[in-house]
Amino acid sequence: MDLVSGYKGMVGLVFGNENSGSSEDSYVERLLDRISNGALAEDRRTAVAELQSVVAESRAAQLAFGAMGFPILMGVLKEERDDVEMVRGALETLVSALTPIDHGKGPKNEVQPALMNTDLLSREAESISLLLSLLTEEDFYIRYYTLQLLTALLTNLPNRLQEAILTIPRGITRLMDMLMDREVIRNEALLLLTYLTREAEEIQKILVFEGAFEKIFSIIKEEGGSEGGVVVQDCLELLNNLLRNNASNQILLRETMGFDPLISILKLRGSTYSFTQQKTINLLSALETINLLLMGGPEAESAKDANRLLTNKTVLVQKKVLDHLLMLGVESQWAPVAVRCAALQCIGDLIAGYPKNLDALASKVLGEEPHVEPALNSILRIILRTSSVQEFIAADYVFKCFCEKNSDGQTMLASTLIPQPHSMTHAPLEEDVNMSFGSMLLRGLTLNENDGDLETCCRAASVLSYILKNNIQCKERVLRIELEAPMPSLGAPEPLMHRMVKYMALASSMKSKDGKSSPTGNLYVQPIILKLLVTWLADCPNAVYCFLDSRPHLTYLLELVSNPSATVCIRGLTAVLLGECALYNNSSESGKDAFAIVDSISQKVGLTSYFLKFDEMQKSFLFSSAKPAQPRKALTRSNAASMAEIEDVEENDSSNQNEDHPILISTFDAQFVNLVKKLELDIRENIIEVYSQPKSKVAVVPAELEQKSGESDGDYIKRLKSFVEKQCSEIQDLLGRNANLAEDLAKTGGGSISQPEQRASGASERVQVETLRRDLQEASQRLEMLKTEKAKIESEASMYQNLAGKMESDLQSLSDAYNSLEQANYHLEKEVKALRSGGATSSPDIEAIKAEAREEAQKESEAELNDLLVCLGQEQSKVEKLSARLLELGEDVDKLLEGIGDDMGLPEDSEDEED
């Protein structure tokens, strides 16, 4: 009763004043009265039809219906099953009451009648059970509207409906039976089950044990596989819901039906040139299923999960899924970009961390004789040629997965890196079909350099960085590669590394093809080349020596790290590259050793400013948002169309001139970010070590210490004294500089190397900061506990408020019973008087009967009153305690208990009067 009265209050707010007599309110009330109390069946059916019409068109009518209509229509469904037309109308009206009406954009806080009605209807588990029982009715429209009603409930309040259906015996079984019904019913049931299985593991398992896999693939086959309509899409969405983060269901699918029915969906039938939007969505859904079988859960689970993924990958490759993925992602250039990208990402996931699958991809050959080439060559060509940013990212992901922890594969690719003659390098693009992988990659690294377009070079550099990662042999091999100068007259061949540094310098002044300055240079060309160099120099002293072999390289890096127009990440990566030149430096040549590098940084940049570049980079969006591979967004009806039509990033789009460019996000993945963080720590420690031991012992020329022939002893002593004074002066300069540098390092968090007091002070400050952080965390936890306790007390207060209302109702009932006894007593007295006047009985007997009846009634009423007063006393003490607690938490107790005492006073007054 309280819920409905509160709902009526909400209706009053929407309609204006409760007493204003809204037209919708009164009209809905009249129709409900006709349905409830009408004498003629036809009139009641007409009223249901009119009610459905007005509820479907008016939000106010939806609110009014929610306030008073549910009990009436649920009663029709429960008690009037024989009247098919009446039940149909009632179901259709309920569907309309739960369907949102959009009359343009309203205020954000506007009342949503459909959601409120959903909440009302779903509160009672009996209502859901009643609706599920209607699915067994023979009438087609009753089953159809019931499914629509359940779908509307799930759309608005999924969690509550999932819990309710789980508690109803054979509830899910009845829904599964609908998949074997007529086509329209089956399609509606499919849609309902896709909503029901989202993030509901228990329901997912029950559906699978009810034979969901068999029914899904049977419907897909019946509808024509990938060539089918939206029904295939719904089937695949349901399949994906059953497999997502559900290891037991994946194992069950693999060991019962196998993966053959799934892989058959990926086979291109009919015209391979024809890709409708629906076919594209169906293929994307099937590729999402493959991805779910290849990716782990949201958390790093046990070895059991790793074994499951390994088995899935093994079985899929045995079933030739790699061939179908290569057809969709590489060979079928008529396929939409979204499909090609999804297929390439699946290839990457399929080979990641699994040597057998890596070998399978490396040995794959595409095309038909005589025009065949390795699959890796074809994927590299996509990287170098595609105009789609998303396709480049997807193809680049394949090489990232191929080279990760695959030293044999890296060595195999690096062995093909053989420079081609100048004429071959500038041959038409079409001739790269006959090139080896390495020749094609080197050609990409140097292509279009004369046009100032370094896009292809940047993409090739990304692939090269994967080949060199954590592989010293490959780094040494590529170091020996020398490229011919663009024109023989410009000089001798130069190392590939030097050419990369030159391109990085050119990138800042890149021009687009229309002659305008291109922002792409500073956007991702320089960061990707910097990533290549950082990867190359890591743990490779020979690479550092080659890099420093050209004096301008160091000068350029010192300028770039301080360039205010460069992005935070470019300056940060340049700082890392400079640090590697000192960290992995084994040279003893003057001007190229580690001390000379650190000294140049100190002189030209300043160590405070230098270390600040690391801090700025770590706080940047790219580094702070880098996370391990996340599950891809689920494909649903609502987002399928947008995901099927990938819109590529426009180079001139101002919104993408920041660090959120897709290429940058894919380049700066979690693994590279962790490498940079590790390098930063090593670089800080190395610089402190270099300055704590400025140089190896000063090598003094023996001639300076020996007495020259013909030199007198006095002159010899003076010369030695001068030499020692000069050495002392140099040592004092070095000590002074070291003291300043140590102070700078301490300020920037790099540590201190001179005073123990400074180290103690820094440690003390860190302890204080940690203590404050811990206190803040404890205060936050305490605040959360108080909020939880407050919510609990408010909930209890509401419960006691409802209980007080119930007590009030019980007192009223007792008062009515007492009044009834008084009336009965009055009638007895009248009868006594009548008997007295008739003389039928003697007066004393009647008086005794009356007294006995009055005494018995009085005892019964007093006993009930005493029980109620005891209960009220107990509840009053609880309310007082809760009121005190709410006052401590700052709540307005009077407002919470407003109206309770006034209502309860009425029955007591009436009892006093009766007494």
Side-chain angles (χ1 to χ4, degrees):
M1 292 294 293
D2 292 340
L3 182 64
V4 173
S5 61
Y7 201 94
K8 286 182 178 178
M10 181 62 72
V11 174
L13 288 174
V14 175
F15 291 159
N17 190 325
E18 288 189 46
N19 301 321
S20 63
S22 166
S23 59
E24 291 91 344
D25 192 5
S26 58
Y27 183 46
V28 169
E29 191 171 2
R30 287 198 304 273
L31 290 173
L32 289 170
D33 183 64
R34 285 169 58 190
I35 295 169
S36 180
N37 302 318
L40 298 176
E42 192 59 38
D43 180 60
R44 296 177 68 227
R45 295 188 191 108
T46 305
V48 169
E50 291 178 9
L51 180 63
Q52 188 276 327
S53 178
V54 70
V55 168
E57 296 175 358
S58 168
R59 294 163 64 92
Q62 283 185 333
L63 271 174
F65 173 80
M68 46 193 158
F70 281 115
I72 295 172
L73 290 194
M74 294 306 290
V76 170
L77 298 180
K78 190 173 183 180
E79 299 169 6
E80 303 185 38
R81 291 281 188 96
D82 294 338
D83 193 338
V84 174
E85 190 173 343
M86 194 74 178
V87 173
R88 282 184 192 173
L91 286 169
E92 196 172 359
T93 304
L94 289 171
V95 172
S96 300
L98 269 57
T99 304
I101 300 172
D102 186 14
H103 289 313
K105 293 183 179 179
K108 291 184 179 179
N109 58 350
E110 188 176 7
V111 175
Q112 299 295 328
L115 292 178
M116 298 181 73
N117 289 344
T118 302
D119 181 62
L120 264 179
L121 181 58
S122 60
R123 279 181 183 271
E124 299 295 334
E126 294 178 2
S127 302
I128 310 303
S129 180
L130 175 61
L131 292 176
L132 287 173
S133 69
L134 290 172
L135 293 175
T136 59
E137 293 292 319
E138 293 184 3
D139 185 72
F140 167 83
Y141 287 101
I142 290 179
R143 300 198 305 277
Y144 178 70
Y145 290 135
T146 301
L147 287 172
Q148 281 196 326
L149 182 57
L150 289 169
T151 303
L153 286 167
L154 271 167
T155 305
N156 295 335
L157 279 176
N159 293 337
R160 185 181 294 174
L161 261 291
Q162 288 169 344
E163 292 170 4
I165 290 175
L166 268 176
T167 61
I168 297 171
R170 288 185 52 78
I172 294 177
T173 304
R174 288 176 186 171
L175 294 175
M176 285 294 294
D177 290 342
M178 295 297 100
L179 291 180
M180 309 308 291
D181 209 316
R182 292 163 61 178
E183 185 175 343
V184 177
I185 298 287
R186 179 201 70 187
N187 296 348
E188 199 66 33
L190 262 178
L191 195 58
L192 170 64
L193 289 172
T194 59
Y195 287 109
L196 185 64
T197 51
R198 287 178 185 170
E199 299 179 4
E201 187 173 354
E202 289 302 316
I203 295 178
Q204 293 167 5
K205 290 180 179 178
I206 294 172
L207 252 67
V208 168
F209 281 109
E210 291 284 347
F213 288 146
E214 292 82 355
K215 292 175 182 176
I216 287 171
F217 284 116
S218 173
I219 295 172
I220 290 174
K221 185 176 180 181
E222 182 183 331
E223 292 291 322
S226 62
E227 302 286 343
V230 73
V231 176
V232 174
Q233 177 187 342
D234 290 338
C235 284
L236 289 169
E237 184 180 344
L238 175 58
L239 177 64
N240 293 339
N241 287 349
L242 297 177
L243 298 177
R244 187 174 290 108
N245 299 329
N246 197 318
S248 60
N249 282 358
Q250 291 188 17
I251 294 171
L252 206 59
L253 173 63
R254 187 181 69 225
E255 295 182 353
T256 54
M257 296 196 67
F259 295 149
D260 288 320
L262 172 62
I263 296 174
S264 67
I265 301 172
L266 299 176
K267 292 180 181 177
L268 295 178
R269 298 176 177 82
S271 175
T272 56
Y273 307 99
S274 173
F275 285 87
T276 62
Q277 185 186 53
Q278 188 58 58
K279 180 178 178 180
T280 299
I281 294 172
N282 293 344
L283 286 171
L284 286 176
S285 300
L287 289 168
E288 183 185 3
T289 311
I290 299 289
N291 176 256
L292 291 173
L293 295 171
L294 299 174
M295 297 294 286
E299 302 175 356
E301 296 180 10
S302 60
K304 186 185 293 185
D305 189 53
N307 290 336
R308 169 182 61 83
L309 295 176
L310 199 62
T311 308
N312 286 349
K313 290 182 179 182
T314 302
V315 174
L316 284 169
V317 170
Q318 289 173 352
K319 299 294 182 181
K320 308 294 184 186
V321 74
L322 188 56
D323 294 337
H324 299 297
L325 293 176
L326 287 169
M327 172 59 74
L328 286 172
V330 182
E331 293 186 274
S332 180
Q333 292 303 309
W334 302 276
V337 173
V339 173
R340 298 205 301 270
C341 291
L344 286 167
Q345 287 167 342
C346 284
I347 293 172
D349 294 333
L350 186 66
I351 64 175
Y354 191 27
K356 288 186 178 180
N357 291 0
L358 290 168
D359 295 340
L361 178 63
S363 61
K364 282 291 176 187
V365 176
L366 304 182
E368 297 179 358
E369 292 291 348
H371 306 292
V372 295
E373 69 171 346
L376 289 175
N377 289 28
S378 299
I379 297 172
L380 177 62
R381 184 178 295 104
I382 292 173
I383 289 177
L384 301 178
R385 286 193 186 183
T386 182
S387 59
S388 166
V389 169
Q390 300 294 341
E391 190 173 13
F392 158 64
I393 293 172
D396 188 68
Y397 178 70
V398 175
F399 278 103
K400 175 185 172 184
C401 295
F402 181 82
C403 295
E404 188 67 30
K405 298 179 181 178
N406 181 20
S407 57
D408 292 340
Q410 290 173 305
T411 304
M412 181 267 291
L413 294 179
S415 66
T416 64
L417 289 166
I418 302 171
Q420 297 294 310
H422 189 267
S423 58
M424 190 65 181
T425 305
H426 291 79
L429 286 173
E430 292 73 17
E431 293 189 15
D432 62 6
V433 176
N434 302 318
M435 288 185 180
S436 66
F437 176 90
S439 300
M440 196 189 309
L441 183 62
L442 288 174
R443 184 170 185 264
L445 287 169
T446 58
L447 193 64
N448 295 333
E449 61 178 281
N450 295 329
D451 302 333
D453 181 10
L454 297 176
E455 175 78 21
T456 306
C457 167
C458 154
R459 295 180 178 189
S462 179
V463 175
L464 183 58
S465 68
Y466 299 136
I467 296 174
L468 302 181
K469 182 181 177 182
N470 298 330
N471 194 314
I472 298 296
Q473 289 182 345
C474 290
K475 292 178 182 181
E476 301 276 0
R477 186 184 190 99
V478 178
L479 275 178
R480 296 192 290 269
I481 295 176
E482 292 190 343
L483 302 176
E484 293 182 4
M487 295 179 63
S489 59
L490 294 180
E494 61 180 336
L496 176 62
M497 178 182 283
H498 291 195
R499 185 72 65 89
M500 290 295 100
V501 179
K502 184 179 79 172
Y503 290 161
M504 184 173 67
L506 285 174
S508 58
S509 58
M510 274 176 53
K511 304 287 184 182
S512 60
K513 293 182 180 179
D514 57 4
K516 297 180 180 179
S517 178
S518 172
T520 312
N522 283 333
L523 192 59
Y524 60 81
V525 172
Q526 279 188 317
I528 287 179
I529 297 178
L530 277 168
K531 178 185 177 182
L532 168 63
L533 294 174
V534 167
T535 304
W536 203 339
L537 266 60
D539 290 314
C540 188
N542 288 340
V544 172
Y545 183 84
C546 178
F547 181 84
L548 296 175
D549 196 38
S550 177
R551 187 71 185 174
H553 290 175
L554 182 60
T555 305
Y556 171 67
L557 291 186
L558 292 170
E559 292 175 357
L560 186 59
V561 79
S562 304
N563 187 352
S565 63
T567 65
V568 170
C569 281
I570 289 176
R571 293 198 298 268
L573 289 177
T574 305
V576 173
L577 197 58
L578 280 168
E580 285 182 317
C581 290
L583 180 62
Y584 301 114
N585 194 318
N586 290 344
S587 175
S588 57
E589 291 184 32
S590 176
K592 293 183 180 180
D593 60 348
F595 181 82
I597 303 301
V598 176
D599 194 46
S600 298
I601 295 172
S602 173
Q603 295 292 323
K604 299 290 178 64
V605 182
L607 287 186
T608 303
S609 176
Y610 174 73
F611 285 124
L612 192 60
K613 302 297 185 289
F614 290 112
D615 297 333
E616 290 173 349
M617 178 173 62
Q618 298 294 356
K619 294 175 183 176
S620 67
F621 171 78
L622 283 174
F623 275 71
S624 61
S625 62
K627 297 176 182 177
Q630 300 292 312
R632 296 190 179 97
K633 188 177 179 181
L635 195 69
T636 63
R637 268 201 182 192
S638 58
N639 64 15
S642 60
M643 292 181 72
E645 297 177 2
I646 289 182
E647 294 184 5
D648 266 319
V649 180
E650 293 291 337
E651 299 296 348
N652 297 323
D653 187 355
S654 60
S655 65
N656 288 306
Q657 298 310 310
N658 299 317
E659 296 178 348
D660 58 349
H661 194 284
I663 291 181
L664 283 179
I665 293 174
S666 68
T667 300
F668 290 85
D669 55 9
Q671 294 172 337
F672 181 68
V673 169
N674 290 334
L675 169 66
V676 170
K677 289 179 179 179
K678 177 181 178 298
L679 285 172
E680 178 192 348
L681 294 175
D682 294 343
I683 289 167
R684 286 182 184 272
E685 293 176 4
N686 177 256
I687 289 179
I688 294 172
E689 183 180 349
V690 167
Y691 266 114
S692 64
Q693 300 173 355
K695 275 195 176 184
S696 56
K697 294 178 182 179
V698 178
V700 182
V701 180
E704 294 285 336
L705 297 176
E706 294 180 0
Q707 187 173 8
K708 298 178 181 179
S709 59
E711 186 179 23
S712 65
D713 291 342
D715 292 338
Y716 178 50
I717 292 171
K718 285 181 182 179
R719 188 164 57 80
L720 287 179
K721 184 179 179 182
S722 174
F723 178 79
V724 171
E725 287 176 353
K726 182 181 176 182
Q727 293 294 315
C728 287
S729 176
E730 290 180 0
I731 290 171
Q732 288 299 323
D733 288 342
L734 288 173
L735 289 174
R737 190 192 299 177
N738 286 353
N740 293 331
L741 291 170
E743 186 178 348
D744 286 346
L745 288 172
K747 289 179 181 177
T748 57
S752 175
I753 58 173
S754 57
Q755 299 293 337
E757 293 81 8
Q758 291 180 3
R759 287 199 295 272
S761 174
S764 174
E765 289 176 359
R766 284 196 294 273
V767 170
Q768 290 177 3
V769 169
E770 189 61 35
T771 304
L772 290 172
R773 185 183 293 110
R774 188 165 54 251
D775 291 344
L776 178 61
Q777 187 175 3
E778 290 176 359
S780 300
Q781 291 175 350
R782 177 65 179 162
L783 181 61
E784 289 299 323
M785 289 172 61
L786 289 173
K787 286 181 179 178
T788 305
E789 190 175 350
K790 173 186 169 187
K792 182 180 177 183
I793 291 174
E794 287 178 349
S795 174
E796 291 181 4
S798 175
M799 181 183 71
Y800 288 129
Q801 186 177 356
N802 293 336
L803 189 57
K806 185 176 181 298
M807 293 290 184
E808 175 191 349
S809 176
D810 292 344
L811 281 172
Q812 184 64 43
S813 301
L814 185 58
S815 175
D816 293 341
Y818 191 81
N819 290 336
S820 300
L821 287 171
E822 287 292 331
Q823 289 177 2
N825 191 27
Y826 174 71
H827 288 307
L828 285 172
E829 287 179 349
K830 285 180 66 177
E831 291 178 8
V832 167
K833 289 178 181 179
L835 288 171
R836 279 178 179 172
S837 62
T841 328
S842 62
S843 178
D845 292 341
I846 293 171
E847 287 297 329
I849 292 170
K850 185 174 76 170
E852 185 180 350
R854 180 176 296 172
E855 183 179 356
E856 191 173 338
Q858 185 71 24
K859 286 181 180 179
E860 187 177 343
S861 63
E862 284 180 359
E864 291 186 6
L865 275 171
N866 286 335
D867 291 342
L868 283 172
L869 288 172
V870 169
C871 290
L872 281 173
Q874 293 174 348
E875 298 307 318
Q876 181 63 30
S877 66
K878 290 182 180 179
V879 169
E880 287 174 357
K881 290 180 181 178
L882 289 171
S883 299
R885 184 58 181 158
L886 285 171
L887 283 173
E888 291 177 12
L889 293 172
E891 290 295 327
D892 190 346
V893 178
D894 294 334
K895 186 175 180 182
L896 286 172
L897 301 178
E898 186 177 354
I900 295 176
D902 297 339
D903 295 341
M904 290 178 63
L906 296 175
E908 294 174 4
D909 293 343
S910 64
E911 288 178 19
D912 292 338
E913 291 172 5
E914 289 162 3
D915 290 335

